[in-house]
Amino acid sequence: MAAAARPDTGTGMPADLLGHARAATGFMPDDEGDLLHRLARRQLVHGPVLEVGTYCGKSAVYLGAAAREVGGVVFTVDHHRGSEENQPGWDYHDASLVDPETGRIDTLPHFRRTIARAGLEEQVVAMLGRSTTVSAHWRTPLSLLFIDGGHTEEHARNDYEGFGRWVAREGLVVFHDIFPDPADGGQAPYRVYLQALESGCFTETEHLGSMRVLTRVRGASGDPVA
Ligand SMILES: C[S@@+](CC[C@H](N)C(=O)[O-])C[C@H]1O[C@@H](n2cnc3c(N)ncnc32)[C@H](O)[C@@H]1O
């Protein structure tokens, strides 16, 4: 018997997964999530997708939905201890994410619940650790890299240089939280995005909200992008 068609959500996301993405704790507006999903659906046939900055799995549901549809795998890296802005006393602190035993942020169980509820455990593979530790050992060409980890200049630059080099020719780097105007948000990811453009390795091909999509136009996977 043929599978029943899924109702169209109007966003491109399968209806059953859109609810899970919306329900997950996180910072991804519907339209940016939708763009991620569309790009991943196009790119996954060429190789894996890697996300830096898992948090509670919201963006991973958008990416994992694409993997469920077209095949392929999404890797997502996080130490799950939160970024600077997630720590107590900062704007983006959420006390419900603190582990009462350690007193430290632990988003891993929240991520795990999000992905299990969405039924995406086969598509989304979590890597638990510092992004620099993982990128130092990473060797696989990527079809899409989504950078949404630490938002200091040091972290954003490490993520771009450490994983960006593994993006294949014609592959994509998607930057989140790009704010050219300091009144709108922090400038570190913006400066690293400018570095990517200035490298000549990438050209901007799409822009939505605070998301910038760059396509690799020079070099091959493994060649430095700094
Ligand atoms: C903005 S949140 C990610 C949000 C997620 N992409 C979403 O849309 O739901 C940033 C995440 O990056 C992680 N992070 C920050 N610096 C990191 C580092 N150096 N290595 C690994 N993870 C890091 C934090 O723990 C945090 O969960």
Side-chain angles (χ1 to χ4, degrees):
M1 197 164 71
R6 279 193 293 270
D8 184 6
T9 58
T11 74
M13 272 285 280
D16 59 320
L17 293 181
L18 182 62
H20 289 285
R22 283 179 172 158
T25 301
F27 313 100
M28 176 88 18
D30 277 5
D31 58 349
E32 293 183 354
D34 204 37
L35 174 60
L36 261 192
H37 168 252
R38 178 166 60 76
L39 295 171
R41 211 168 43 183
R42 192 177 86 203
Q43 292 300 116
L44 273 162
V45 295
H46 302 297
V49 164
L50 189 143
E51 165 180 78
V52 188
T54 316
Y55 200 56
C56 301
K58 194 182 193 70
S59 46
V61 172
Y62 287 102
L63 296 168
R68 191 184 77 178
E69 291 172 282
V70 302
V73 62
V74 174
F75 294 97
T76 182
V77 187
D78 203 308
H79 48 43
H80 285 281
R81 294 301 189 195
S83 301
E84 290 72 8
E85 65 272 20
N86 304 130
Q87 303 309 318
W90 289 72
D91 283 357
Y92 292 97
H93 178 65
D94 178 346
S96 72
L97 302 178
V98 174
D99 174 354
E101 190 175 320
T102 62
R104 298 175 71 191
I105 288 180
D106 185 3
T107 49
L108 182 58
H110 302 267
F111 158 76
R112 184 145 217 175
R113 265 196 295 277
T114 300
I115 296 302
R117 284 175 182 158
L120 292 172
E121 288 183 320
E122 295 301 321
Q123 286 81 16
V124 179
V125 175
M127 294 188 282
L128 179 64
R130 273 184 196 283
S131 61
T132 45
T133 309
V134 179
S135 66
H137 294 272
W138 189 265
R139 297 290 178 272
T140 304
L142 296 169
S143 67
L144 187 158
L145 167 66
F146 177 47
I147 299 182
D148 194 20
H151 283 32
T152 65
E153 188 141 352
E154 180 196 356
H155 287 133
R157 174 154 294 120
N158 284 340
D159 293 341
Y160 166 66
E161 292 182 2
F163 286 113
R165 66 184 302 181
W166 298 105
V167 172
R169 186 77 163 253
E170 304 298 330
L172 308 180
V173 175
V174 182
F175 284 97
H176 199 217
D177 295 327
I178 299 302
F179 300 113
D181 183 346
D184 296 329
Q187 295 292 284
Y190 176 59
R191 282 195 286 271
V192 176
Y193 147 85
L194 290 179
Q195 178 193 343
L197 289 177
E198 283 158 12
S199 74
C201 295
F202 296 94
T203 189
E204 184 165 328
T205 43
E206 221 165 325
H207 168 199
L208 176 81
S210 74
M211 221 171 234
R212 302 293 175 111
V213 183
L214 273 53
T215 299
R216 186 156 194 182
V217 291
R218 199 171 81 192
S221 174
D223 292 345
V225 291

